[in-house]
Structures are given as C-alpha cells and as structure tokens.
C-alpha cells in the first residue's frame, strides 16, 4: 500500500498541487466574498426597519437550512441561465460557495458585534458620538477581535466543504482523487493521500488561527 | 438653571420605573441622588442625557427641551459628561487615545490641542506615565480616573456620575472620590448617584432621596441626613449609616 502511495505521489504530485491550489482558492473566494455579503446581511439583520431585517433572516435561514450540495447543483444550473455569457463551472460553483458562506459569516459578524459590552456604546454615545461614529471607532474594532478568529475557522471549514464541489470536477483536491481513480482504478491509496493533505491544511490553519487569536488580545 | 426636569416618566412595558419627577438644577450645583437599589436613581440620571428615552415629560438643558423632536441629542451630550459604574473605558485604544478620540473626532480640538489637554488631565489624576498603556493594564481605580478625564476632555458643563465607586475594590474608592471632590471644588455642576453617604453629605449642595420611582424628599445634606421627614428615608438612613 505504501509503495502504491509513493508511486501515486511521484506520478501525480503536479495534480495534487493543483488540487491544493484550487481547494485553497475556492475557500479563499468563498470567505472573502462571503465576508462582503455577510457584512451586508449582518447590517440588514440588525436594521431597525423590520422588513429589511426579515429579508436578511430569510436569506440566512434558507442558506443554512438547505444542503450545500443542493445549492451547488442549483447554482450550477441557474447561473448560466441568468448570465448573458457562458460562465465556467468554476464561476457557478464559486457563486454557490460564496452565497452559502455569506449566510454563515453574517451570523459570525452579528454575534461578534453583539458580544461587545453595551456599556461601550453608552460611553461613546455619552461623549456625543453618533451611532455610526460609535460603530466605527469603538464597537467594530472590538468586535473584530471576536470576528477574525471565527472567520479563520470558517475558512478551515470551507476547505473541507469545497470537496462537495468535486461533483462538478472543478479541479479541487477531491477532484484529484476522482481523476486518479478514474484513470487507474485505484481507490484506497489516492483517497488516503488526499485525506492526509486535507488534514495537514486544516490542522495547520486551525493552529495558526488559535495563535493569532491569542495575539490579538489588548493587554500587551 | 442649567437642567430642568418636568413630569418625567419612564416605564419599561408595564413596569413604571419613574413617576412624575420634577427637579431644577442650578449651575455649579452638586446634587447627590440616594435611595435603595431599584428606586430609579440610575434610570433618572440616564434620562438626563437620554441614554434612556423618557416615556413622558420633558428634560430641559440650558433652555432646550431635549425630548423634543428634531433635537440633535449628540450635540447636547457633548456638554453632559457621564461616568459609569463599570468605567466603560475603551480597551481598543491607548489611554491617551481614550481621552483625545472624542474631542478630535467631533472637531472640538485639533490633535495637538487634544494631546496637550490629555497630558494635563492625566497629570492631574496621576496617570501621566500610563498615557501610552492600554486600559486593560490599569487597576479599577485607575480606569475610573481615566473615565473621568475622558469625560472632562469634552469640556462638559455638567457631569453625571452613575455610582462611580460601586464596582471598585474598597481600597480604590478613596482615590476616585478625591478626584471627583477636586472637580466639584472647581465648580463643576455635578449630579452623582451614590451609596457613599459620607461623601454625599460632605460635597452636596442638595440631596435627592428617591423611593419607588418618585423623588420623595429633597433638601440640603443637613436636612436630609440630620432631620429626615419621611419614614422611608429614616428607615433607609438607619440601614446605610
């Protein structure tokens, strides 16, 4: 078995590297664009005007309440119908991942903001700051301390979630397995190699997130 | 008269916290508000700068009705400093920035002016060497002194103190009270909710006793502490003195 694995790594290391590249790229796109959407949703959900808040809640609940695989299928077929040009599979899959991650990130951001002590807002307002200035100078910088580690963890989660995108052969790590399996009919060994790579990625990144989390405390 | 409170009401749902409060506060006056917990002292204080939105009545500050529609409350809050029980210093800013942030952001001062003022204020409360530290490295007493000078940097005309020593370890109460006392000697109009009866007696021009959401008895410290009229006030004093 080890022999076979060694052979596979030697023969296909370029493919594995590409897989790592695409997996990280997909997760990165999902988290960065998902953060943009998530921020927007979080602001909407906290809005005083209720219909806006309901809209955000509906979005969040629907995306968190249905399977990601279903969403991938949906957008895989939906996006080409909406766009005036023929998008690549990568674009369709990314759209689903971004929209899905946005729902989760919005809750991360909202929770991060609401975890900041209410006294901080009161102190800022008592000095004469308006609500936007209070958010910008006092609340959000403190919320960031809660949000950043959670975003890092979301990135780690997305690395694993993107494996579902291999359903559409988008070149991620899981696609590597399917390519090799299809070419030479070996199942177990490529699966284990891909599993090890996933684990190295997620384990080291979670450790990094935990390290950064400890570093961004204020009392230094 | 700098503050006038007219028929102030505050309720949270069915819970009436303040009932029909009337009061006038003169410039340079020091007012202590005493009473049992739950008597509405803090809510009353927080209504003065509209941190709590009154459900009825009017708050006049320098001739402006703060509860009227279209009033820019942020503008008036700049002239009403507040010091909180839990300090509420900003942990994401250095000590100096805690003080200079609001005056610079609200264009009351240039960066240089704000810096000079911050240094002067920090020196006054013995925190000069902490200027570039973060608040989390300060003791409770130091945090509260910082919170006081943060409010002062806006050069307010009134200071509202909401139980400023209640969250402090006993050995730190004195240092904070002496800073507040120093301020009051400079003629700063102050309203202080406090459980420190000795302090209230010593510094106040008038004392307000609140009971069940009503401003039950007011008078000079001598009247309130040495010659109380209401049975509830007598009972309260017998418990706390």
């Amino acid at each position: 078995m080890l022999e076979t694995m060694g052979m596979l790594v030697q023969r296909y290391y370029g493919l594995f590297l590409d897989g790592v590249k695409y997996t990280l790229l997909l997760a990165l796109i999902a988290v960065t664009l998902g953060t943009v959407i998530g921020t927007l949703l979080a602001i909407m959900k906290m809005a005083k005007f209720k219909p806006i808040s309901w809209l955000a809640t509906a979005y969040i609940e629907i995306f968190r309440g249905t399977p990601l695989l279903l969403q991938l299928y949906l957008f895989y077929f939906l996006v080409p119908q909406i766009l005036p040009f023929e998008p690549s599979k990568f674009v369709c899959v990314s759209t689903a991942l971004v929209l899905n991650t946005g729902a989760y990130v919005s809750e991360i951001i909202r929770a991060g903001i609401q975890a900041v002590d209410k006294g901080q807002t009161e102190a800022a307002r008592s000095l004469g700051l308006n609500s936007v200035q209070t958010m910008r100078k006092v609340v959000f910088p403190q919320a960031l301390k809660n949000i950043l580690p959670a975003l890092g963890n979301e990135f780690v989660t997305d690395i694993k979630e993107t494996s579902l995108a291999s359903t559409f052969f988008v070149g991620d790590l899981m696609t590597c397995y399917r390519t090799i399996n299809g070419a030479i009919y070996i199942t177990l060994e490529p699966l284990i190699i891909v599993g090890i790579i996933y684990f190295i990625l997620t384990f080291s990144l979670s450790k990094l997130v935990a390290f950064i989390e400890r570093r961004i405390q204020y009392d230094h | 008269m700098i503050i006038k409170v007219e028929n102030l009401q505050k309720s949270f749902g069915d819970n009436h916290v303040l009932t029909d409060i009337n009061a006038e506060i003169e410039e340079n006056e020091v007012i202590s508000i005493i009473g049992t917990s739950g008597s509405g002292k803090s809510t009353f204080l927080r209504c003065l700068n509209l941190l709590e939105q009154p459900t009825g009545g009017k708050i006049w500050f320098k001739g402006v009705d703060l509860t009227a529609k279209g009033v820019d409350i942020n503008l008036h809050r700049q002239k009403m400093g507040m010091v909180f029980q839990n300090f509420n210093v900003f942990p994401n800013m250095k000590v100096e920035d805690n003080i200079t942030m609001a005056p610079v952001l609200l264009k009351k001062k240039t960066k240089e002016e704000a810096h000079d003022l911050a240094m002067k204020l920090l020196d006054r409360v013995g925190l000069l060497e902490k200027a570039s530290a973060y608040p989390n490295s300060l003791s409770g007493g130091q945090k509260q002194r910082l919170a006081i000078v943060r409010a002062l940097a806006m050069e307010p005309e009134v200071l509202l103190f909401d139980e400023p020593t209640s969250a402090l370890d006993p050995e730190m109460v004195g240092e904070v009270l002496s800073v507040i006392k120093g301020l009051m000697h400079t003629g700063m109009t102050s309203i202080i909710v406090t459980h420190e009866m000795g302090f209230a007696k010593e510094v106040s021009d008038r004392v307000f006793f609140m009971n069940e959401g009503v401003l039950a008895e007011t008078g000079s410290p001598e009247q309130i502490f040495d010659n109380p009229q209401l049975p509830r006030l007598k009972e309260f004093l017998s418990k706390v003195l």
Side-chain angles (χ1 to χ4, degrees):
Chain A
M1 185 186 222
L2 279 177
E3 224 169 279
T4 319
M5 281 168 66
M7 177 274 286
L8 284 175
V9 170
Q10 260 180 1
R11 199 197 293 182
Y12 291 109
Y13 76 93
L15 192 66
F16 287 126
L17 277 182
D18 268 358
V20 170
K21 201 178 80 189
Y22 275 103
T23 287
L24 288 178
L25 187 63
L26 275 172
L28 198 65
I29 289 172
V31 169
T32 37
L33 297 185
T35 301
V36 175
I37 291 178
T39 308
L40 217 65
L41 283 169
I43 291 169
M44 285 170 67
K45 186 156 179 178
M46 289 185 290
K48 285 208 182 85
F49 186 59
K50 284 297 155 205
I52 299 256
S53 166
W54 292 331
L55 208 65
T57 306
Y59 177 103
I60 294 164
E61 294 304 326
I62 288 169
F63 271 92
R64 297 203 308 172
T66 54
L68 175 59
L69 189 57
L70 181 145
Q71 293 164 19
L72 284 164
Y73 269 103
L74 184 73
F75 286 96
Y76 187 75
F77 295 116
L78 191 66
V79 173
Q81 289 190 24
I82 295 172
L83 289 179
F85 56 91
E86 189 66 33
S88 65
K89 288 189 292 187
F90 191 81
V91 168
C92 302
V93 164
S94 301
T95 306
L97 286 171
V98 164
L99 295 177
N100 177 278
T101 303
Y104 285 92
V105 169
S106 78
E107 291 296 271
I108 290 174
I109 291 175
R110 194 174 61 91
I113 287 173
Q114 289 180 344
V116 176
D117 181 17
K118 244 187 114 226
Q120 293 290 311
T121 303
E122 292 187 341
R125 297 306 302 270
S126 80
L127 289 165
L129 272 67
N130 64 32
S131 56
V132 175
Q133 290 164 332
T134 300
M135 183 54 80
R136 198 160 52 87
K137 288 285 186 181
V138 175
V139 178
F140 196 70
Q142 294 182 55
L144 218 50
K145 193 179 60 139
N146 312 325
I147 291 170
L148 281 180
L151 273 185
N153 291 327
E154 182 64 25
F155 181 63
V156 172
T157 305
D158 273 0
I159 287 175
K160 291 180 285 176
E161 299 268 86
T162 53
S163 61
L164 288 172
S166 68
T167 314
F168 306 102
F169 278 88
V170 287
D172 68 310
L173 265 174
M174 202 62 191
T175 304
C176 291
Y177 156 72
R178 298 184 58 178
T179 307
I180 294 166
N181 177 243
I184 56 175
Y185 306 109
I186 303 177
T187 303
L188 215 50
E189 285 84 353
L191 208 48
I192 290 171
I193 294 172
V194 167
I196 290 172
I197 300 176
Y198 270 120
F199 181 76
I200 291 172
L201 287 180
T202 56
F203 184 78
S204 51
L205 280 167
S206 337
K207 286 288 162 215
L208 184 67
V209 169
F211 174 73
I212 292 170
E213 191 171 5
R214 281 196 304 273
R215 284 296 298 272
I216 58 177
Q217 302 303 325
Y218 296 121
D219 35 357
H220 35 58
Chain B
M1 187 188 355
I2 189 159
I3 294 177
K4 184 177 177 190
V5 180
E6 233 180 85
N7 305 109
L8 175 64
Q9 316 268 348
K10 175 68 186 178
S11 37
F12 297 99
D14 288 339
N15 182 17
H16 299 283
V17 183
L18 298 176
T19 316
D20 207 22
I21 292 187
N22 290 283
E24 292 181 5
I25 292 151
E26 302 294 331
E27 227 161 294
N28 303 332
E29 233 188 341
V30 174
I31 307 276
S32 293
I33 307 179
I34 60 171
T36 55
S37 15
S39 60
K41 312 183 293 287
S42 286
T43 309
F44 173 49
L45 192 76
R46 290 160 56 85
C47 278
L48 296 180
N49 65 353
L50 263 60
L51 275 189
E52 298 289 353
Q53 188 70 39
T55 38
K58 290 186 163 78
I59 310 277
W60 298 87
F61 176 59
K62 297 181 71 187
V64 178
D65 175 13
L66 298 183
T67 61
K69 271 207 170 12
V71 169
D72 184 1
I73 185 63
N74 299 319
L75 221 54
H76 296 285
R77 280 184 181 144
Q78 295 181 18
K79 296 176 224 146
M80 310 173 96
M82 190 163 206
V83 175
F84 299 84
Q85 181 176 352
N86 295 317
F87 329 132
N88 297 339
V89 291
F90 304 132
N92 57 316
M93 300 172 202
K94 289 177 178 172
V95 166
E96 179 188 343
D97 299 332
N98 262 271
I99 302 169
T100 58
M101 185 271 286
V104 173
L105 184 67
L106 302 172
K107 301 197 164 51
K108 300 249 310 186
K109 294 214 158 17
T110 65
K111 271 188 181 155
E112 293 71 33
E113 288 168 348
H115 168 80
D116 292 345
L117 178 62
M119 292 304 138
K120 215 175 83 192
L121 289 169
L122 284 173
D123 190 31
R124 192 159 129 197
V125 296
L127 289 174
L128 195 53
E129 75 279 13
K130 296 284 184 185
S132 50
Y134 278 87
N136 281 1
S137 67
L138 303 183
S139 71
Q142 291 172 326
K143 280 181 188 166
Q144 194 61 303
R145 283 183 273 157
L146 169 60
I148 292 170
V149 291
R150 176 180 67 182
L152 285 179
M154 287 301 290
E155 295 174 337
E157 294 174 40
V158 180
L159 270 184
L160 311 173
F161 294 92
D162 190 3
E163 303 195 24
T165 59
S166 296
L168 291 173
D169 291 334
E171 74 271 20
M172 292 170 182
V173 170
E175 63 190 60
V176 170
L177 286 183
S178 82
V179 167
I180 297 175
K181 210 182 296 177
L183 270 176
M184 290 167 172
H185 281 313
T186 66
M188 173 65 73
T189 311
S190 309
I191 307 171
I192 177 166
V193 172
T194 185
H195 292 290
E196 302 286 335
M197 293 304 148
F199 180 74
K201 190 170 177 178
E202 184 189 338
V203 300
S204 312
D205 295 307
R206 281 189 296 153
V207 178
F208 290 3
F209 170 65
M210 290 196 62
N211 186 44
E212 292 176 355
V214 177
L215 196 49
E217 191 165 335
T218 68
S220 69
E222 293 74 27
Q223 286 170 321
I224 294 289
F225 289 107
D226 302 333
N227 190 19
Q229 300 300 309
L230 287 176
R232 285 292 292 127
L233 175 55
K234 287 178 191 164
E235 188 192 329
F236 172 72
L237 289 174
S238 72
K239 276 182 194 152
V240 296
L241 286 182

